[in-house]
Amino acid sequence: MSHTDDLELNHDRRPAPVGDRIAGAVLLLLALGAWWHSHSFVTGFMQPVGPGAFPRLVSLPLGVLSAYLLFRPGFNERWPDRAGLARQLAVLLLLAAYAGVLEALGFLPATLVGAVLLTRLFGARWQQAMVAGTGLAVGLYVLFEFGLGMPLPNVPWWGAA
Amino acid sequence: MDTLAFLAQGFAVATQPEFLLLALIGCAVGTLIGALPGLGPVNGVALMIPLAFNFGLEPTAALILLVSVYYGCMYGGRISSIVLNIPGDEPAMMTTLDGYPMALKGRGGEALGLSAVASFVGATIATIGLTLFAPLLVDLAIKFGPAEYFALFLLAFATIGGVTSGSFTKSFIAACLGLLLGTVGIDPVSSVARYTFGTFELYDGIDFIVALVGLFAISECLVFLEKRHDADKPHVQLGSAWPGMTSSLSCKGSIGRGSLIGFVSGVLPGAGASLGSFLSYMLEKRWLGAKGDFGNGDPRGVAAPEAGNNAAAGGALIPMLSLGIPGSGTTAILLALLLSMNITPGPLLFAQQPEMVWGLVAALFIGNIMLLILNVPLVGLFARVLQAPSWLLMPMVVLIAFVGVYSLNNSPFDLYMMLAFGVLGYVLRKLEIPTVPVVLGLLLGGQMEFNLRRAMSISGGDWSILVNSGISIGIYVFAVTLIIAGAVYAMLLRRRLK
């Protein structure tokens, strides 16, 4: 998996003190928090190894390695530019909203709207997005509901659930 | 011959119509996913796992389906390498070097046919190797107790993190992060809730399937969104794939060498298919040197890496099935699938469920023949799918991920969790922290802790039990050796960069 990263070393890769230091700091805090919180896991009976031991065993190397990352940062891939970031945020917001209304609206209406907007965000023109989104939503519905026999959320106000 | 008897039994299992159908579906879907640029075996298998679960497949059936997808991806990756000059997945990268120049010269069909045959030979040799060598490892591993298993899990992390990645600090950070995430939920031994912060949905722990689909499928889409993709795809005349059959005869030396190199690098834990195709290509280039026309459309430059990556894919199944430690990212995920179905790969699997292991091996032999058929006469069909615009393909991936994950528990919470893991996976990738160790940690954490605690309760709290047997000491030594090898490798790499 990571080997081809080695092959691609030369482009889109930057020495990244800032990104790695932030990551190191966040992970170090996480390790400290996990260590501290693990002391609140108490059981009634005695065991040679309690529920807190393993998390501590893991957060120790995590903390040490994160501290190392903080002091000796390595390489990062190129971070996205502002336009790319905006597209990613838009897609994430759309997907979160879609997850939120899936049960309230029912699968088919929510997915119709979601799929059209999603194809649009992935670069289709409006006309293409309408056709492709509708096709995707209906196709998925037929495939899952009838083809694979997995019940998807029905439209609530539309007959029995 | 015990092995032959078991294999015959396996064929009896694998030739049941249901399993044949699943293998065929897996091969076709795998070829398709492998062919789509950006989506590789890891994403493909990640995307199919929720479907296999929802469909209520029994473990043997699920394993046959997913391993067929895995093998299929390895075949499919070459298609977009040759047709579009974009590797369909990471191991297919070397195939672009000579495959695309062949296509530009109007020999695209021949390259596709040749690479299909090379893939077939590589995968078949690896499957034969799996049949012969996996039982040998099992004989050794049958002596393992909890302390040895704990050591083995440590070895798994050393191998997946240490050997191939550029920064082994980051691989271990990823593994620790995964292990820590794996402790979230009710502790099965003491029934104490850990790191749930009162969220009921977390009491069952973080569902690894949800994490997996987020880390691989969703983060892949986020990577895709970084750039605009409105450029037209180049259109290359392909022609028939049949001439590839004859040219594969003249490349039989390259195919054979590629298969062997690929197989060995697949068996070595942590190396995997990308290394297999890389080494096969480089050695072939060095071997033939001036006699070849590498980089300008030499058929042998297509045959060797394709044989290599398919052989490596098969080889990677050996440590996964016989020891329960993964040799590559995708086998890590297959391992995850088995563990979540309460099946622990390893020596006991061969002893207790031979019909499953040997059914799988037989299904691989059959699947390979199906893949050859899918990839020679029907390859034009797959090549045509590549012409489909990415604004259609990527939303399809996202929506399949959504429906698959939602159907697991009918819970929108899982969808938010998947999105969160998608963002996590994306950020980790940008930081060059590998995501496979996270999944592995999330999944193996429970088993690892369980074996640690069992070993400790056997010894009455004496930590020295962990290093008390020859086998576990041997495993630790092996793990440390691999970590040191990884560090040296990273150092050499850094020097080469300067």
Side-chain angles (χ1 to χ4, degrees):
Chain A
M1 164 95 205
S2 46
H3 184 78
T4 38
D5 296 346
D6 306 340
L7 305 179
E8 289 181 315
L9 278 181
N10 298 319
H11 59 92
D12 274 4
R13 202 163 179 261
R14 301 280 173 279
V18 181
D20 269 12
R21 287 217 167 99
I22 295 175
V26 170
L27 289 166
L28 183 58
L29 282 178
L30 181 75
L32 290 174
W35 179 285
W36 176 75
H37 192 66
S38 72
H39 290 284
S40 70
F41 309 147
V42 274
T43 46
F45 56 102
M46 277 305 292
Q47 293 160 313
V49 177
F54 189 73
R56 279 195 291 278
L57 203 65
V58 175
S59 48
L60 186 70
L62 180 62
V64 171
L65 291 169
S66 311
Y68 180 81
L69 195 63
L70 200 58
F71 291 109
R72 297 280 302 276
F75 290 88
N76 282 10
E77 274 177 34
R78 191 202 298 265
W79 292 86
D81 58 10
R82 204 165 288 178
L85 208 59
R87 277 192 295 272
Q88 291 167 338
L89 265 180
V91 165
L92 284 173
L93 285 177
L94 171 66
L95 291 176
Y98 171 54
V101 300
L102 187 61
E103 288 184 338
L105 291 183
F107 178 81
L108 210 47
T111 309
L112 269 176
V113 178
V116 170
L117 292 176
L118 195 63
T119 13
R120 170 76 188 144
L121 282 174
F122 271 97
R125 278 180 273 114
W126 273 115
Q127 256 177 330
Q128 295 170 325
M130 295 286 200
V131 177
T134 312
L136 273 179
V138 174
L140 275 177
Y141 184 73
V142 171
L143 177 70
F144 276 80
E145 184 86 30
F146 302 110
L148 301 177
M150 296 173 207
L152 294 167
N154 288 320
V155 181
W157 60 84
W158 201 31
Chain B
M1 280 292 288
D2 277 358
T3 307
L4 279 182
F6 278 126
L7 195 59
Q9 190 192 344
F11 271 101
V13 173
T15 45
Q16 291 166 35
E18 184 204 347
F19 291 153
L20 283 178
L21 182 67
L22 282 172
L24 183 64
I25 294 175
C27 290
V29 169
T31 308
L32 196 61
I33 293 176
L36 295 174
L39 295 179
V42 181
N43 317 87
V45 174
L47 209 56
M48 291 301 284
I49 283 182
L51 300 186
F53 261 79
N54 284 325
F55 210 38
L57 293 180
E58 48 134 339
T60 310
L63 199 59
I64 288 178
L65 174 70
L66 291 165
V67 176
S68 304
V69 171
Y70 172 48
Y71 265 39
C73 283
M74 289 296 168
Y75 274 74
R78 77 194 205 286
I79 299 177
S80 69
S81 296
I82 292 169
V83 179
L84 301 177
N85 199 23
I86 306 167
D89 49 32
E90 288 182 343
M93 185 166 324
M94 304 314 285
T95 312
T96 57
L97 298 179
D98 280 288
Y100 187 62
M102 275 185 83
L104 287 182
K105 290 177 185 164
R107 294 167 72 192
E110 184 192 342
L112 286 172
L114 165 63
S115 51
V117 176
S119 300
F120 174 76
V121 175
T124 303
I125 287 181
T127 313
I128 294 172
L130 171 66
T131 314
L132 296 177
F133 293 123
L136 297 181
L137 270 181
V138 168
D139 289 342
L140 170 77
I142 210 106
K143 304 185 179 80
F144 284 19
E148 283 79 12
Y149 270 108
F150 182 77
L152 205 57
F153 285 127
L154 278 182
L155 175 67
F157 287 108
T159 56
I160 202 78
V163 179
T164 55
S165 128
S167 158
F168 86 123
T169 317
K170 288 185 174 175
S171 312
F172 284 105
I173 286 181
C176 291
L177 189 63
L179 285 171
L180 203 55
L181 287 171
T183 62
V184 172
I186 302 269
D187 168 31
V189 180
S190 62
S191 308
V192 175
R194 298 190 288 193
Y195 303 118
T196 54
F197 305 104
T199 313
F200 289 112
E201 283 93 342
L202 285 177
Y203 275 25
D204 285 337
I206 295 173
D207 191 330
F208 99 92
I209 301 177
V210 175
L212 191 67
V213 177
L215 283 173
F216 294 105
I218 300 295
S219 79
E220 192 65 54
C221 290
L222 292 177
V223 170
F224 177 86
L225 283 165
E226 279 178 1
K227 301 194 181 76
R228 295 194 67 87
H229 297 259
D230 29 26
D232 278 331
K233 289 176 181 169
H235 196 85
V236 177
Q237 277 301 323
L238 283 179
S240 164
W242 290 110
M245 307 299 261
T246 41
S247 60
S248 60
L249 278 179
S250 58
C251 295
K252 57 181 184 297
S254 306
I255 294 177
R257 285 188 291 274
S259 300
L260 288 179
I261 294 165
F263 179 69
V264 173
S265 45
V267 176
L268 287 178
S274 302
L275 187 65
S277 63
F278 177 73
L279 282 182
S280 307
Y281 184 86
M282 294 320 273
L283 288 177
E284 199 62 22
K285 196 174 166 183
R286 184 150 307 173
W287 179 280
L288 293 170
K291 275 186 282 177
D293 190 18
F294 289 99
N296 294 314
D298 191 313
R300 288 165 299 191
V302 175
E306 274 308 312
N309 77 31
N310 285 276
L317 288 174
I318 294 181
M320 194 277 271
L321 285 173
S322 60
L323 298 177
I325 61 172
S328 69
T330 316
T331 46
I333 287 161
L334 289 171
L335 176 70
L337 169 85
L338 286 176
L339 288 174
S340 68
M341 289 180 149
N342 282 327
I343 292 168
T344 311
L348 289 179
L349 184 65
F350 281 74
Q352 290 168 352
Q353 285 168 305
E355 73 288 347
M356 178 176 175
V357 178
W358 295 105
L360 173 68
V361 173
L364 288 177
F365 280 113
I366 298 171
N368 253 323
I369 296 170
M370 291 177 176
L371 279 166
L372 185 65
I373 296 170
L374 282 176
N375 278 283
V376 177
L378 299 178
V379 74
L381 216 62
F382 291 105
R384 201 162 308 148
V385 175
L386 289 181
Q387 304 293 331
S390 41
W391 51 256
L392 181 62
L393 296 172
M394 295 314 275
M396 194 146 79
V397 169
V398 178
L399 287 173
I400 290 176
F402 252 71
V403 179
V405 164
Y406 176 80
S407 307
L408 287 174
N409 299 313
N410 288 329
S411 138
F413 180 84
D414 284 348
L415 293 177
Y416 293 122
M417 187 68 114
M418 175 181 78
L419 288 178
F421 270 98
V423 174
L424 176 71
Y426 176 75
V427 172
L428 290 179
R429 280 172 68 162
K430 288 283 124 182
L431 291 166
E432 297 203 340
I433 297 178
T435 43
V436 168
V438 179
V439 174
L440 205 59
L442 184 59
L443 203 94
L444 293 184
Q447 290 281 325
M448 199 170 159
E449 182 177 12
F450 178 72
N451 278 298
L452 173 68
R453 282 165 138 180
R454 222 172 54 173
M456 296 303 281
S457 60
I458 290 173
S459 73
D462 181 5
W463 289 86
S464 69
I465 187 174
L466 296 178
V467 288
N468 250 349
S469 87
I471 297 178
S472 41
I473 291 173
I475 295 174
Y476 286 125
V477 169
F478 189 45
V480 170
T481 315
L482 282 173
I483 290 173
I484 293 172
V488 170
Y489 178 76
M491 218 158 65
L492 289 176
L493 208 68
R494 216 168 292 145
R495 192 158 302 163
R496 205 185 67 190
L497 266 181
K498 278 178 186 160

